[in-house]
């Protein structure tokens, strides 16, 4: 159904959507551009809507932007198509099309990372985004996340604890993010595991059931512990106990001020057992370092390879654009999930 044959208000909204895309925060499907803006002889650009909906200045900007896209070869790469989220704007919701009103909200509202503590956990997100922006074969995706962060299009939302994440999601999805929550929200939270096979039934089961949209008391399996497209929003439960367990030990030793000799010896002893480091409680004796100073160290200058090494013993499989798979660190997995909401 042609959006530009709809009632005036729909057309006005569609034009607003198109003008928002001038900010270069999103990719346009060039096949769709051909359909909308190329004349029947496929030689000149034309307006698909009545000019009463657009100012002369905006029209000039729009045409310049369209010409720029046509001149850029491989504007949308297979990597972009694979790791980013695509929406189709239209009136047929049954075919998965996004109503123009919701499309406008998707592209204008910021995306949120729901964390237990924006005071500490957000440092982890900012740190990995910064460190991976020039890392590896998917750096073009990580650079887009960094751009979203820099322009305040990607923001933290403080839940207050594992038990409050569901409340936070419900609040957002029933109000300002109604009908668009799956495109704009991700929850990242601690596992609070004591060991690799642990699962905290009391604190985590209600949230996992909610995210998976399954009934209370359902027998949980590995599949329930991983985000799937049909889940309520994008989410990630950390493999390690908490965010501080992702810090390389040498970063802790070299950047935490006033560590006592015994604390340093205890950290050195952990070095020989990477899995023990995954689940150690740094804020408990004998080490006794509080969470916030640790989380701030993700913002210090160390290489992404050190984070890769910290996660080298529990890699995960991700699908690649060519249909194959690759073993990557959990850090990359988290970043690729964040990419789904930008």
């Amino acid at each position: 159904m042609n959006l530009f044959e709809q009632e005036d208000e729909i057309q006005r909204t569609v034009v607003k959507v198109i003008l928002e895309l001038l900010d270069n925060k999103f990719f346009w499907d060039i096949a769709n551009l051909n359909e909308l803006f190329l004349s029947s002889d496929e030689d000149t650009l034309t307006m698909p809507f009545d000019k009463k909906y657009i100012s002369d200045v905006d029209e000039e900007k729009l045409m310049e932007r369209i010409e720029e896209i046509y001149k850029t070869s491989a504007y949308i790469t297979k990597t972009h198509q694979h790791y980013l989220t695509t929406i189709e704007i239209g009136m047929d919701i049954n075919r998965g099309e996004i109503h123009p009103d919701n499309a406008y909200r998707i592209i204008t509202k910021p995306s949120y990372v729901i964390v237990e503590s924006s005071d500490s956990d957000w440092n982890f997100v900012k740190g990995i985004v910064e460190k991976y922006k020039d890392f590896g074969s998917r750096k073009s995706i990580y650079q887009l996340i960094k751009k979203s962060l820099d322009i305040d299009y990607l923001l933290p939302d403080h839940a207050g604890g594992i038990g409050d994440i569901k409340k936070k999601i419900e609040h957002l999805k029933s109000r300002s993010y109604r009908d668009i929550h799956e495109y704009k929200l991700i929850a990242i939270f601690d596992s609070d595991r004591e060991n690799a096979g642990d699962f905290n039934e009391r604190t985590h089961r209600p949230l996992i059931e909610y995210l998976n949209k399954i009934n209370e008391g359902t027998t949980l399996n590995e599949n329930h512990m991983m985000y799937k497209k049909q889940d309520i929003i994008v989410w990630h439960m950390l493999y390690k106990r908490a965010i501080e367990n992702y810090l390389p030990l040498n970063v802790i030793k070299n950047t935490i001020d006033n560590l006592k000799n015994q604390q340093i010896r205890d950290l050195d002893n952990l070095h020989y057992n990477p899995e023990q480091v995954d689940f150690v409680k740094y804020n408990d004796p004998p080490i006794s370092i509080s969470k916030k100073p640790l989380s701030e160290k993700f913002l210090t200058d160390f290489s992404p390879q050190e984070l890769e090494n910290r996660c080298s013993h529990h890699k995960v499989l991700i699908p690649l654009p060519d249909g194959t798979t690759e073993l990557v660190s959990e850090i990359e997995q988290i970043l690729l999930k964040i990419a789904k909401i930008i």
Side-chain angles (χ1 to χ4, degrees), residues 24-277:
N24 198 19
K25 287 191 294 190
F26 305 93
F27 294 114
W28 290 10
D29 185 340
I30 198 162
N32 186 245
L33 286 177
N34 290 340
E35 180 184 339
L36 287 178
F37 291 97
L38 275 185
S39 61
S40 56
D41 60 11
E42 295 195 353
D43 190 41
T44 57
L45 292 173
T46 61
M47 278 288 178
F49 46 82
D50 194 311
K51 290 187 180 182
K52 69 182 179 181
Y53 300 118
I54 189 170
S55 70
D56 291 340
V57 172
D58 283 340
E59 180 184 351
E60 183 178 354
K61 287 180 182 178
L62 176 59
M63 284 309 188
E64 288 176 359
R65 183 81 178 98
I66 299 300
E67 288 177 355
E68 175 189 331
I69 293 171
Y70 277 116
K71 291 174 184 176
T72 307
S73 60
Y75 185 69
I76 304 178
T77 67
K78 288 183 178 180
T79 299
H80 293 141
Q81 290 174 330
H82 184 70
Y83 293 114
L84 303 176
T85 296
T86 299
I87 65 169
E88 182 177 351
I89 303 170
M91 302 301 293
D92 193 344
I93 297 173
N94 293 327
R95 288 185 57 238
E97 294 177 349
I98 305 296
H99 190 281
D101 288 340
N102 286 337
Y104 184 71
R105 292 166 61 222
I106 287 171
I107 66 175
T108 56
K109 284 185 171 293
S111 299
Y112 279 104
V113 183
I114 300 169
V115 290
E116 295 177 65
S117 169
S118 58
D119 194 37
S120 56
D121 295 356
W122 187 236
N123 290 330
F124 170 70
V125 175
K126 288 191 295 184
I128 63 175
V129 170
E130 173 65 33
K131 287 171 175 54
Y132 279 72
K133 68 181 188 296
D134 295 313
F135 178 83
S137 60
R138 285 166 286 274
K139 63 185 177 183
S140 63
I141 302 298
Y142 306 148
Q143 287 166 358
L144 292 174
I145 301 173
K146 180 66 166 61
K147 178 181 177 181
S148 292
L149 197 67
D150 289 344
I151 63 175
D152 292 331
Y153 191 67
L154 182 69
L155 297 169
D157 203 339
H158 176 89
I162 189 71
D164 296 311
I165 291 176
K166 175 182 175 181
K167 295 176 187 175
K168 176 61 69 174
I169 297 170
E170 280 294 293
H171 174 81
L172 291 168
K173 73 184 283 287
S174 64
R175 290 175 174 80
S176 53
Y177 286 79
R178 185 184 68 257
D179 299 327
I180 63 170
H181 53 279
E182 65 266 41
Y183 300 100
K184 303 298 294 181
L185 307 177
I186 181 173
I188 300 175
F189 50 93
D190 295 345
S191 68
D192 294 332
R193 290 184 173 116
E194 301 288 340
N195 55 68
D198 189 28
F199 177 70
N200 194 316
E201 284 276 340
R202 182 182 63 82
T203 58
H204 285 63
R205 172 179 274 279
L207 179 58
I208 295 299
E209 289 173 338
Y210 172 73
L211 293 168
N212 281 270
K213 296 190 282 191
I214 57 176
N215 294 329
E216 183 178 338
T218 299
T219 301
L220 300 180
N221 55 45
E222 271 189 35
N223 193 46
H224 294 119
M225 304 300 164
M226 299 178 291
Y227 162 71
K228 300 165 292 301
K229 191 174 181 180
Q230 66 268 27
D231 290 348
I232 198 158
I233 63 167
V234 185
W235 61 278
H236 186 89
M237 180 171 68
L238 300 178
Y239 168 82
K240 301 181 191 295
R241 192 191 71 83
I243 63 159
E244 55 266 31
N245 297 85
Y246 290 78
L247 266 179
L249 286 173
N250 67 298
V251 173
I252 298 175
K253 290 195 300 179
N254 295 338
T255 61
I256 297 289
D257 295 330
N258 302 319
L259 285 179
K260 297 176 182 177
N261 290 336
Q262 186 58 51
Q263 288 175 303
I264 294 172
R265 284 194 291 270
D266 289 329
L267 289 169
D268 285 338
N269 288 335
L270 289 174
H271 175 76
Y272 302 103
N273 190 339
E275 290 195 2
Q276 184 183 5
V277 184

